[in-house]
Amino acid sequence: EAQRMLKEVLAEGSNWSRAVLNDPEQVPMDSERRKWVASASDVAPSAVHYDPGVKDKHVAFQKAKSMQRLYEASPPLAELTDLSRLSLEFASAADAAEAAKRLLERMDVVWFENRFRSPSCFGYRDMTLGVRQQVPVVQDGQQQQQLRPHISEIHLRLQAVHEARLRVEAQHKSELSDLLLRNGVLPQHIDCVIDRMLEALTYTDGKALRKADEDLVRAVEHFTRNVSVLQPEGECLAEELVDELAEQALAAGIAEARVFSVLEVVPYLNEKRALRSRRIALMDQMAAYLVAYVGVMFEGLFAGILDSIPSLPHDSTGRVSLGDRWWELPQLVQSQEMWHTASPQGELQWEEVCRELQQRCNAINQEEKELLGKATDMREQMETLFAMCSAHQLGLALLRFLLARGLGNSPDLGEIARAADWAERSSGASAETLEKVAIFSRWTAFEERLCGAIDAPSPAALTSAREALEADAHSPNISAELQERAACIDYWQVAGLEHVRGRLRAQAPQA
């Protein structure tokens, strides 16, 4: 019926439009009965109209089978658009252009392919129109009053180009067929294989874009038609398939808004995709931080600073400190380059960074539980990140403290204390290292008291200094803290007293 209706629009009332030409045995394909020549005033002026008949059922099935996707239970026969088709052949390009114009005006054209602009890999050029018709529904062999949409194709070609195609393209296809047969392709598969080869040879960015869009729409339509009968596992797999095709569509260049619009009919899929994107972004950020720490020897830096405090350089007041190019010191020469940019300026914010990442992780996990019924376990990665970042922050705090002293400042030990506390809670440093940090803090605090006593002597400071001076740093009979102060004042005496003497000389040169 679609074939008859199509011919009636082009050749109204003619015997050709009423003729049924579907059987090539009754009417050979080269029979003149299949042709009708239009006048200059017809819809397709001066065109030779050719009716190849409705596509053979077996050929149609094989073509549909070649279009079948893995998720489809049967070949998509409903998607074939060339079951009913006509060819219009013109002697001049002007007549072909005029026919295309009139067809676009008079028929419901849903797509238009101009291969004069983008020819086939063989160089063949023509135009193809997809025409939407309303045809009667056939049920149990009987036409019903109800109508349904149907797509037919009309091909517009130039006589000279078509004749060249019959000679050259036929020869090339024959050679391809022979080659495929010699290499084991079954005869019934030859046409489909050649079609796939030609499709690959003529694949362009534009075609990739259209195919990605079509594949996504097709999968979504299949999903929505069958979701009610799918088991939970099947529904999950179907969602994953649609999601993968959505990613392919985006990669092909389809606008995100278009993909979002197509996916709206799949319940919660856009929400799931957005949630997954947030999770991936979070994990990528965490991975970037962790990769930066690969091979970093935190304990090596800690040991270089904490294992032998007296071996560190000192400033003019006798306090341990660090200056420019500190990484060239023997005990710190193995420190990684990432530490070389440490500066006493600004604030340390690694704990805040990790806390923000943890909050994002918690929010994502909560949404996953609500939307998916389960949450992605990122605890191990988060714990590793916290340990690494807390170790990094502790190392920076120590360096910043010593560098600030090297600039003549008296920094607060609070930053080191907070960093050590976080490292302890996050397993970023060993108990032994944390004990050494505590010793370092007491050592440097005592140095500050000694230096402060020079300008403003206090009984408490002088008493502590006297006790330290009188104590033997190596005696087992005194407390650990007094041992530390004794070792500190032994180290400090030379540089510190030299500083005192310098100040006295400045005040009284005769002294």
Side-chain angles (χ1 to χ4, degrees), residues 260-318:
F260 188 91
S261 175
V262 172
L263 297 182
E264 280 188 323
V265 297
V266 181
Y268 302 111
L269 186 55
N270 278 324
E271 291 82 353
K272 292 176 183 178
R273 284 172 52 78
L275 183 58
R276 186 193 63 187
S277 296
R278 287 167 53 204
R279 183 178 70 247
I280 291 174
L282 172 64
M283 297 184 75
D284 284 348
Q285 188 174 353
M286 292 167 58
Y289 288 140
L290 291 173
V291 167
Y293 293 132
V294 172
V296 176
M297 303 298 292
F298 294 105
E299 292 294 337
L301 176 71
F302 298 150
I305 295 174
L306 304 173
D307 280 4
S308 181
I309 300 175
S311 68
L312 292 171
H314 58 74
D315 65 6
S316 61
T317 66

Side-chain angles (χ1 to χ4, degrees), residues 97-233:
E98 180 61 26
K101 178 182 176 182
R102 294 180 184 179
L103 289 169
L104 288 168
E105 291 172 349
R106 302 187 185 193
M107 307 188 84
D108 184 8
V109 178
V110 292
W111 51 264
F112 179 86
E113 182 180 12
N114 184 1
R115 289 206 294 181
F116 283 99
R117 175 177 293 178
S118 303
S120 72
C121 60
F122 287 130
Y124 182 65
R125 291 167 167 81
D126 66 357
M127 290 183 285
T128 303
L129 286 74
V131 178
R132 180 162 47 202
Q133 303 164 278
Q134 298 297 326
V135 299
V137 173
V138 176
Q139 188 173 355
D140 298 329
Q142 300 294 320
Q143 283 191 6
Q144 309 295 313
Q145 291 186 347
Q146 182 183 357
L147 300 178
R148 64 171 180 84
H150 174 83
I151 306 296
S152 298
E153 290 186 7
I154 300 178
H155 300 270
L156 285 69
R157 63 196 186 202
L158 294 179
Q159 181 180 355
V161 175
H162 182 62
E163 289 174 352
R165 178 191 187 186
L166 292 178
R167 296 192 306 273
V168 179
E169 187 172 319
Q171 178 184 347
H172 288 320
K173 283 193 172 182
S174 176
E175 293 173 357
L176 275 175
S177 297
D178 292 342
L179 179 64
L180 293 171
L181 285 169
R182 290 199 302 271
N183 284 275
V185 179
L186 298 176
Q188 63 267 32
H189 297 159
I190 290 293
D191 288 341
C192 287
V193 172
I194 290 178
D195 286 344
R196 297 289 79 77
M197 291 172 62
L198 298 182
E199 181 181 331
L201 288 171
T202 58
Y203 211 60
T204 63
D205 289 343
K207 286 185 177 180
L209 199 67
R210 290 194 297 274
K211 184 177 185 303
D213 188 272
E214 291 168 2
D215 286 346
L216 178 60
V217 171
R218 183 168 168 175
V220 168
E221 290 176 347
H222 181 82
F223 177 89
T224 53
R225 283 196 304 268
N226 297 281
V227 67
S228 61
V229 298
L230 291 175
Q231 298 295 325
E233 296 81 3

Side-chain angles (χ1 to χ4, degrees), residues 371-407:
L371 196 59
L372 308 176
K374 59 181 180 179
T376 304
D377 188 355
M378 293 185 276
R379 286 175 299 179
E380 183 177 351
Q381 296 93 323
M382 194 63 70
E383 289 171 0
T384 302
L385 181 65
F386 268 62
M388 294 290 191
C389 287
S390 65
H392 186 190
Q393 181 145 307
L394 179 57
L396 287 174
L398 292 168
L399 288 173
R400 282 157 56 89
F401 180 87
L402 294 171
L403 288 169
R405 277 187 163 191
L407 295 173

Side-chain angles (χ1 to χ4, degrees), residues 46-66:
S46 305
V48 176
H49 293 53
Y50 177 76
D51 177 7
V54 174
K55 186 182 283 287
D56 176 75
K57 291 182 179 180
H58 176 73
V59 175
F61 182 84
Q62 289 300 320
K63 182 174 182 178
K65 195 166 184 61
S66 70

